[in-house]
Amino acid sequence: AQSVTQLGSHVSVSEGALVLLRCNYSSSVPPYLFWYVQYPNQGLQLLLKYTTGATLVKGINGFEAEFKKSETSFHLTKPSAHMSDAAEYFCAVSEGSGYSTLTFGKGTMLLVSP
Amino acid sequence: SQTIHQWPATLVQPVGSPLSLECTVEGTSNPNLYWYRQAAGRGLQLLFYSVGIGQISSEVPQNLSASRPQDRQFILSSKKLLLSDSGFYLCAWRAGYSENYGYTFGSGTRLTVV
């Protein structure tokens, strides 16, 4: 069975600082990996995804993530935080078949201070 | 372009009352459809998914049921709500049988059972 662990329910950074949100996964087959962002009382928006190919994936709003198979990780980074990045971030894994479903981590709330 | 609609946005219901939440997708055919529930600090829990009309898979035994009466319509129901049914309900869709497409989420329904 697939699972996702997000380290840290809350992460605080200063505006302009590096953002690092950690995600580790467990999957019995090569995984498909996703990061979503959620603003208060809204649905989830896809930030980026890894399916096959290049292990460094670039997404929207300056975010990127690197798939590291040996570490079973898919950490999300952004070089310089903006106030508008404050939101909840979810990592998710799928086992890639047509009938598989997305399993989400519990989320990490990113707080950005001026 | 494809869009997903979910309503109502907010709902306050008494314990023991029935529930019906509706989700529709436009601009695509034969989507995979999903219902997730989000409770504070618990991430997203998959409740039901459907790969076609009348085909419903339940992930978690509970007080809820789902139906797909039309290709692009997905309904979440309950005959008698419990306090524990409170939460943020999200509908999502995915095109085709490839995880390359990812999931697209609706804007959610905030349900409060009182």
Side-chain angles (χ1 to χ4, degrees), chain A residues 15 56 97:
Chain A
E15 193 172 20
L56 181 62
S97 71

Side-chain angles (χ1 to χ4, degrees), chain B residues 1 5 13 17 28 32 41 43 48 53 56 64 67 76 85 87 91 99 104-105 110 113:
Chain B
S1 63
H5 302 280
Q13 292 284 97
S17 64
T28 189
N32 289 3
F48 302 94
I53 296 174
I56 307 295
L64 302 169
S67 62
L76 183 68
D85 291 324
C91 181
E99 292 296 338
T104 299
F105 283 83
R110 175 75 59 190
V113 182

Side-chain angles (χ1 to χ4, degrees), chain B residues 7 12 59 71:
Chain B
W7 67 91
V12 180
E59 290 293 301
D71 181 44

Side-chain angles (χ1 to χ4, degrees), chain B residues 19-77:
Chain B
L19 173 73
S20 181
L21 302 181
E22 188 163 343
C23 172
T24 60
V25 180
E26 296 179 355
T28 189
S29 60
N30 197 30
N32 289 3
L33 296 170
Y34 308 85
W35 277 112
Y36 281 87
R37 178 169 60 198
Q38 187 176 19
R42 296 181 62 184
L44 286 88
Q45 179 187 36
L46 178 63
L47 302 176
F48 302 94
Y49 69 95
S50 172
V51 298
I53 296 174
Q55 300 178 60
I56 307 295
S57 295
S58 174
E59 290 293 301
V60 181
Q62 60 212 324
N63 186 42
L64 302 169
S65 62
S67 62
R68 185 170 177 174
Q70 300 180 41
D71 181 44
R72 293 170 292 175
Q73 184 185 32
F74 204 24
I75 298 172
L76 183 68
S77 304

Side-chain angles (χ1 to χ4, degrees), chain A residues 20-94:
Chain A
L20 171 60
L21 303 183
R22 299 179 185 274
C23 172
N24 288 90
Y25 69 90
S26 173
S27 176
S28 58
V29 299
Y32 287 14
L33 295 160
F34 304 81
W35 275 101
Y36 284 85
V37 61
Q38 184 181 33
Y39 298 98
N41 292 311
Q42 293 186 25
L44 276 70
Q45 180 183 9
L46 181 66
L47 273 179
L48 49 79
K49 62 183 177 183
Y50 168 79
T51 54
T52 58
T55 56
L56 181 62
V57 180
K58 296 186 183 298
I60 62 172
N61 301 338
F63 285 93
E64 62 182 36
E66 186 171 11
F67 169 59
K68 292 187 176 181
K69 182 178 179 180
S70 61
E71 299 177 9
T72 61
S73 69
F74 191 56
H75 302 330
L76 182 70
T77 61
K78 182 174 180 178
S80 177
H82 294 167
M83 296 296 291
S84 60
D85 294 327
E88 191 160 22
Y89 292 80
F90 292 91
C91 182
V93 64
S94 168

